[in-house]
Amino acid sequence: MKYNNKIGMMIVAGGMLAATSCSDFSDYNTAPDDFGMTGGKTLWQNISEINNLSKFAEIVEKVGFKSNLDAPTFYTLFAPQDGTYNADSVLQILESGLPEDTAIVLKEFVKQHVVQFNHPLNAALEESTLLSLNAKTHAFSPLHYGDATFTNNVNIPASNGVIHITNGNEGFYTNIYEYLDKIEGCDLFRDYVKKYDEQYIDESNSVMGPIVNGVQSYEYIEYAHRNSVINGILRAQLENEDSLYTMLFPNDKAWTNSYNRIHKDYKYLKKMSYTDLTATTVAGASMKVTDGKADITVTSDPAYLTDSLTKKMMISDLAFSHGYPCNDVLLSGGGTKVDSVFSTTRDFLVSAKDIEDHTLEKYRMSNGFVRLTDSIPFQPWQTFEPIITTTRRVRVLNGAGGTFSIAKEKFKKGGERDTLFKYVPDYFYDRILGEKSGDSKYFTFTTTQSTTQSSIPELDFAIAREQGDKYISNVLSTTYHIYVLTIPNQILDNVEEGIITKQKPYYLSFYLNYTDSTESGDPVIKHQQLFLSENADPSWGPKEVTESKVRHIVTEPGYAQVIDLGEFTFPVSYYGTEACPSLMMCHTQKFNTSTKRNSYEHELRVAGVYLVPVEANDYFITKSDKE
């Protein structure tokens, strides 16, 4: 941190001195005559003999770069002249003799002023950028090299390059990744990221030598870094000097609070037992827990998996590329609660104001900005605890045989379809239900088609997403509010009242199959019936009745119905595994007589099963009450 403070002083001093002596290109075209015969000398010999470069030469020698400027490799050297920058501050750092201080001065000062190949100044030169040996980009024009302006003494030839003498030094800014080593108060975040740092030879900026004993040698080596957390999880290029990002650096308090909140969602067992809905050995209705039982090995170390996934979720939405215009609110400031930002992992996050409110400091980098935050300021359901929707992954069982089909229907709220959604609350429709495209909602709903009138179909939903021939679950070890949306028999463009009255109610029961553990830690499948929530809103339509000691959930005929099954806490996490919980729904009425078939809906039509984390559920309901 000592050097970081003093380099700031040098930047200010250099900028102030340079501003007083800016040349016009007409003042120079060739190297001046008063330097003697320079072309036959190396870069090092030249700067060591030019009087007003004595301080720069001293710094070069102390950091061990003298031999590089004596080598045959061709460089362009932008040498700040004495008295136009704070050279004594740099030399004072080198007095410590510490290798780390020498390395910093070499990288952030000396290599900052050296560029490979020949870059002469002339009147026809257009504004461009150059890459220095420390992999930084610099503006280059007839008048300046970054912050440093040119004196009249430029295009000084050497046997291995060319020298341009400048007023002031080119200021150094770390990029976002480099700043991990400098920022204070973010030790936990930094240690996690740097653990996955890998150093390699940057061949594009290194100078190759001959092959020695079958091994490539180098006259000069420039190292670069890659990091699986930054490049893989964040999908960002935070060392790229040509990109522009805003990156959140959570301080240790934010890191600890976030870890303690998230890690509870990732409780794992070494082995999982679950109901495999792909099994074909099950015959008849009323599937039992043991039917289709499958076991998988999840991990040999559940604690390690929990820790890894927790940290992955913590950092996955911390970087924002300014290639997306919506992220520019992070540059201009003044973000509001309704301003969304788009992370490099392709998540839309609300709101920009939350980022502003939790920003302690904002630092300029060479490729963007770092915000030091006291929180990871995103809602759980936007990041690590999303709403889970299950629509397609089903099995249908019938007591007397049967088949099932899946059909897509496009629903549009408003106008002719208002009647169909009479009982569906607006917040549920707007924020949770279906996939939106323009003004329309698309629902994939499952319809059973029974081959016999007396069969009693049941639907089994794997609460997972399809991935090839496997099902990958993202159900966490947390508490969800479970909803099921049923669809009426007639889905028409014009839902007339007369048609609705002819439709029939569903009489339903729901059962959840899930994994738990025994006292010894072994996995076990459990089977639990779910009932209508005691807090279910009666205005939504479904109600619960008991007939012949059987509890039924009864729907209002002719309408889409949201059935509120209340809260359930999953004891273990399924995230990323082939295991998944499943929800079964079935009739509680028989259809062995025409009277019963005329009284109750026989086929099952379901738009989806929705698991809404309790924090999200409470937030949406509370927000809806205020709107």
Side-chain angles (χ1 to χ4, degrees):
M1 293 305 296
K2 175 175 67 173
Y3 183 74
N4 187 44
N5 292 335
K6 292 188 176 180
I7 195 68
M9 294 169 57
M10 290 199 303
I11 291 171
V12 173
M16 292 175 62
L17 290 164
T20 64
S21 54
C22 180
S23 300
D24 185 89
F25 190 80
S26 61
D27 293 340
Y28 51 77
N29 289 296
T30 60
D33 296 329
D34 55 353
F35 285 117
M37 298 298 292
T38 65
K41 301 175 182 178
T42 66
L43 290 168
W44 166 250
Q45 290 170 332
N46 274 292
I47 67 170
S48 63
E49 294 175 5
I50 297 174
N51 290 333
N52 64 349
L53 296 182
S54 61
K55 293 287 189 181
F56 183 68
E58 184 180 356
I59 294 170
V60 168
E61 186 171 19
K62 284 182 179 294
V63 299
F65 201 71
K66 169 184 172 181
S67 60
N68 298 79
L69 298 184
D70 250 341
T73 306
F74 208 97
Y75 294 122
T76 296
L77 182 63
F78 298 90
Q81 68 177 342
D82 297 346
T84 65
Y85 69 103
N86 198 341
D88 290 339
S89 178
V90 184
L91 291 167
Q92 183 181 1
I93 296 167
L94 294 173
E95 288 177 2
S96 71
L98 296 174
E100 56 266 33
D101 284 346
T102 300
I104 289 174
V105 174
L106 173 63
K107 176 183 179 181
E108 299 186 8
F109 184 76
V110 174
K111 289 185 179 181
Q112 180 85 336
H113 295 88
V114 184
V115 176
Q116 279 191 329
F117 309 122
N118 182 32
H119 299 280
L121 285 174
N122 58 70
L125 180 67
E126 295 183 358
E127 181 87 25
S128 62
T129 58
L130 298 178
L131 186 71
S132 59
L133 292 189
N134 59 0
K136 294 291 181 181
T137 56
H138 310 271
F140 181 53
S141 79
L143 298 179
H144 67 91
Y145 170 72
D147 296 331
T149 58
F150 294 118
T151 67
N152 295 335
N153 299 320
V154 297
N155 294 329
I156 302 170
S159 62
N160 60 343
V162 62
I163 302 170
H164 305 309
I165 299 180
T166 66
N167 286 310
N169 64 288
E170 159 66 320
F172 179 86
Y173 295 96
T174 62
N175 61 44
I176 293 173
Y177 185 73
E178 290 169 334
Y179 199 62
L180 275 170
D181 290 325
K182 297 182 180 294
I183 194 165
E184 294 180 340
C186 297
D187 295 346
L188 297 175
F189 170 61
R190 175 177 55 247
D191 291 348
Y192 170 66
V193 175
K194 297 292 285 186
K195 177 181 178 181
Y196 298 93
D197 194 45
E198 178 187 353
Q199 182 174 269
Y200 65 97
I201 296 175
D202 182 0
E203 293 189 352
S204 63
N205 290 302
S206 300
V207 179
M208 292 187 180
I211 302 294
V212 180
N213 297 325
V215 178
Q216 178 68 60
S217 68
Y218 293 86
E219 295 180 9
Y220 168 74
I221 295 179
E222 183 70 36
Y223 290 98
H225 297 265
R226 51 180 165 240
N227 186 285
S228 58
V229 169
I230 297 297
N231 306 137
I233 297 177
L234 275 175
R235 302 177 193 171
Q237 302 294 325
L238 299 183
E239 280 193 325
N240 188 340
E241 300 287 336
D242 292 330
S243 299
L244 185 63
Y245 294 94
T246 287
M247 177 76 184
L248 308 187
F249 280 19
N251 65 11
D252 289 346
K253 172 187 173 184
W255 185 266
T256 300
N257 289 344
S258 183
Y259 186 91
N260 290 339
R261 166 63 182 87
I262 295 175
H263 89 281
K264 295 179 291 185
D265 283 3
Y266 296 91
K267 297 176 183 176
Y268 283 93
L269 301 175
K270 291 185 178 181
K271 185 178 179 181
M272 297 279 279
S273 295
Y274 67 103
T275 303
D276 182 5
L277 297 183
T278 63
T280 58
T281 58
V282 180
S286 301
M287 183 181 68
K288 298 178 182 179
V289 174
T290 55
D291 291 335
K293 179 179 180 294
D295 296 325
I296 63 166
T297 298
V298 178
T299 177
S300 60
D301 189 348
Y304 177 80
L305 183 60
T306 296
D307 182 73
S308 296
L309 287 175
T310 299
K311 291 173 180 175
K312 174 180 181 290
M313 295 300 171
M314 289 167 64
I315 73 154
S316 61
D317 288 300
L318 296 182
F320 303 89
S321 169
H322 289 285
Y324 298 101
C326 65
N327 291 337
D328 286 347
V329 69
L330 297 176
L331 300 178
S332 59
T336 69
K337 283 286 186 182
V338 297
D339 288 323
S340 295
V341 290
F342 190 56
S343 72
T344 52
T345 51
R346 307 186 68 79
D347 286 329
F348 276 106
L349 305 167
V350 183
S351 66
K353 187 177 188 305
D354 291 333
I355 296 176
E356 294 280 352
D357 289 346
H358 290 281
T359 296
L360 301 176
E361 297 287 347
K362 184 177 177 182
Y363 306 100
R364 180 182 173 182
M365 302 290 110
S366 61
N367 59 345
F369 291 87
V370 163
R371 287 175 176 263
L372 174 64
T373 66
D374 63 1
S375 173
I376 298 179
F378 309 122
Q379 301 288 9
W381 56 92
Q382 295 176 346
T383 52
F384 65 90
E385 203 173 78
I387 295 170
I388 297 172
T389 302
T390 295
T391 58
R392 294 181 60 89
R393 192 68 193 102
V394 298
R395 177 175 64 179
V396 176
L397 300 177
N398 281 299
T403 61
F404 77 94
S405 64
I406 296 175
K408 270 194 173 182
E409 177 66 22
K410 180 195 242 185
F411 299 127
K412 185 175 181 180
K413 187 167 174 62
E416 299 167 344
R417 294 305 178 91
D418 266 350
T419 306
L420 181 64
F421 292 96
K422 174 181 177 181
Y423 291 105
V424 176
D426 288 340
Y427 90 86
F428 194 93
Y429 184 95
D430 294 336
R431 294 186 172 92
I432 300 174
L433 194 56
E435 298 178 6
K436 190 169 184 180
S437 177
D439 294 329
S440 300
K441 284 279 188 175
Y442 292 84
F443 305 97
T444 301
F445 68 91
T446 299
T447 302
T448 64
Q449 295 178 340
S450 301
T451 56
T452 63
Q453 290 183 327
S454 61
S455 65
I456 306 175
E458 64 183 45
L459 279 173
D460 298 299
F461 287 85
I463 306 175
R465 66 186 186 277
E466 292 182 75
Q467 186 168 305
D469 59 350
K470 299 178 180 179
Y471 323 121
I472 306 300
S473 180
N474 54 353
V475 174
L476 306 175
S477 51
T478 191
T479 303
Y480 294 93
H481 212 100
I482 302 177
Y483 299 102
V484 176
L485 179 70
T486 60
I487 299 296
N489 184 28
Q490 296 294 332
I491 308 295
L492 302 175
D493 289 334
N494 293 288
V495 185
E496 300 173 2
E497 193 66 29
I499 294 176
I500 290 176
T501 57
K502 294 178 183 179
Q503 296 197 57
K504 296 165 285 190
Y506 290 110
Y507 274 66
L508 300 171
S509 289
F510 296 87
Y511 297 87
L512 187 66
N513 294 311
Y514 64 97
T515 303
D516 202 350
S517 62
T518 62
E519 290 185 3
S520 62
D522 296 324
V524 60
I525 304 176
K526 290 189 176 179
H527 188 66
Q528 178 170 323
Q529 185 172 2
L530 303 179
F531 300 100
L532 192 69
S533 171
E534 295 179 356
N535 299 317
D537 190 331
S539 68
W540 292 12
K543 59 182 180 293
E544 188 171 277
V545 298
T546 301
E547 297 175 357
S548 302
K549 298 182 180 180
V550 177
R551 294 173 68 176
H552 313 267
I553 295 176
V554 184
T555 64
E556 190 75 18
Y559 299 96
Q561 300 272 269
V562 179
I563 299 175
D564 181 356
L565 296 176
E567 296 179 0
F568 184 83
T569 301
F570 289 92
V572 297
S573 172
Y574 300 81
Y575 180 87
T577 74
E578 295 174 30
C580 60
S582 58
L583 183 74
M584 181 189 76
M585 63 181 296
C586 61
H587 286 289
T588 53
Q589 295 288 349
K590 295 182 179 180
F591 299 92
N592 54 353
T593 67
S594 59
T595 300
K596 292 201 172 188
R597 289 193 294 272
N598 291 332
S599 300
Y600 314 121
E601 183 55 59
H602 188 196
E603 294 185 1
L604 294 175
R605 295 174 181 81
V606 184
V609 177
Y610 304 87
L611 271 60
V612 185
V614 289
E615 284 188 55
N617 192 71
D618 294 343
Y619 175 84
F620 291 143
I621 291 176
T622 302
K623 187 173 182 180
S624 178
D625 290 342
K626 294 179 180 178
E627 292 175 345

